Amino acid sequence: MFEKKIGINDYRKCMEILFLIGIAFLTFSYFGGYYLIISTIGKYSRLLERIAYVLFFCKISGTRYCKKEFFVLLAVGILAIVTDHVSGNHRMLITVLVVAAMKNIELKKIFKVSLYSLIFTVLLLGSCSLLGFGGPVKLTQMYGREGVETRYSFGYIHPNQWAHAMFMILLFFVMAYEEIIDWKNLLGLFIANYIVYRLSVSKTAFVAGIFLIVGVAAFRYAGRFLYVRAVKFIYLF
């Protein structure tokens, strides 16, 4: 009987899969899954985050770092642990874990996993909301100086949170597929951004979406022109 040895490529592939599963869990938890889970099973609302932490730590443990990288990550990691212990804010700790575990991982793969995980999350929360459990489909209440009005949230606690998740879908799409984006895609993104605005009335997410679309269009179709003009402007001074 022959035993198949695990090669370096297989090992790296395994580490990459662990990391991407952690990204999927973290995306689901951060962008809505937390609200759905806490409304159903309560105390286990942070379970997926903790699983993601373990997966990132496994990836870090199986990754080789140079001495400079190791000592920098060690120092920042200790600071993050102290911050987490003192303030209870774990964002710095998870940021350090993600950045450290990203080594040898293609960025586009991370964006694609984040994109599809977020789409799944938004569809799941929206479906649960429409079926009658989870968060509300829409909220009718006082919104500052706007007065009483109805805004859609599709399972999220607030319409702005749903609009934020939709903006992040646009951002992840642009980052994952920037090489194939054309004017048709940009028009579709603009229409989607406007529909989200009409439903959520989230001005911040709408303006951010407009800046994103205009920025992508500018670099896509006028990148060379803008680069030449910038260089000439710099040389003038």
Side-chain angles (χ1 to χ4, degrees), residues 161-176:
Q161 292 172 327
W162 176 68
H164 173 239
M166 297 302 291
F167 168 74
M168 292 305 298
I169 288 178
L170 298 184
L171 180 60
F172 288 148
F173 175 80
V174 168
M175 299 302 292

Side-chain angles (χ1 to χ4, degrees), residues 76-86 92-93:
V76 177
I78 292 174
L79 177 61
I81 293 173
V82 172
T83 301
D84 180 74
H85 178 72
V86 173
M92 183 177 179
L93 179 59

Side-chain angles (χ1 to χ4, degrees), residues 159-217:
N160 287 349
Q161 292 172 327
W162 176 68
H164 173 239
M166 297 302 291
F167 168 74
M168 292 305 298
I169 288 178
L170 298 184
L171 180 60
F172 288 148
F173 175 80
V174 168
M175 299 302 292
Y177 297 102
E178 52 87 16
E179 72 279 359
I180 64 170
I181 290 178
D182 56 17
W183 69 269
K184 295 178 182 178
N185 299 125
L186 293 173
L187 179 60
L189 293 176
F190 178 82
I191 294 173
N193 190 48
Y194 181 73
I195 292 174
V196 170
Y197 168 70
R198 295 295 298 175
L199 292 173
S200 67
V201 198
S202 176
K203 298 181 180 65
T204 303
F206 177 69
V207 172
I210 292 296
F211 273 108
L212 174 65
I213 295 167
V214 171
V216 173

Side-chain angles (χ1 to χ4, degrees), residues 213-230:
I213 295 167
V214 171
V216 173
F219 282 101
R220 187 72 174 175
Y221 295 104
R224 180 64 181 175
F225 173 81
L226 293 174
Y227 173 78
V228 172
R229 290 295 180 273

Side-chain angles (χ1 to χ4, degrees), residues 76-124:
V76 177
I78 292 174
L79 177 61
I81 293 173
V82 172
T83 301
D84 180 74
H85 178 72
V86 173
S87 67
N89 190 335
H90 60 282
R91 294 302 176 93
M92 183 177 179
L93 179 59
I94 189 60
T95 300
V96 173
L97 286 175
V98 171
V99 172
M102 281 175 60
K103 186 174 181 180
N104 301 326
I105 306 293
E106 187 181 344
L107 280 176
K108 285 195 179 296
K109 290 183 179 180
I110 300 175
F111 290 129
K112 288 179 180 179
V113 170
S114 300
L115 171 64
Y116 294 115
S117 299
L118 184 50
I119 290 174
F120 170 78
T121 302
V122 170
L123 290 176
L124 179 62

Side-chain angles (χ1 to χ4, degrees), residues 137-154:
V137 176
K138 56 185 178 181
L139 292 171
T140 301
Q141 61 186 44
M142 178 75 71
Y143 291 96
R145 289 176 290 181
E146 306 296 332
V148 177
E149 59 179 320
T150 299
R151 300 182 182 182
Y152 288 83
S153 58
F154 296 106

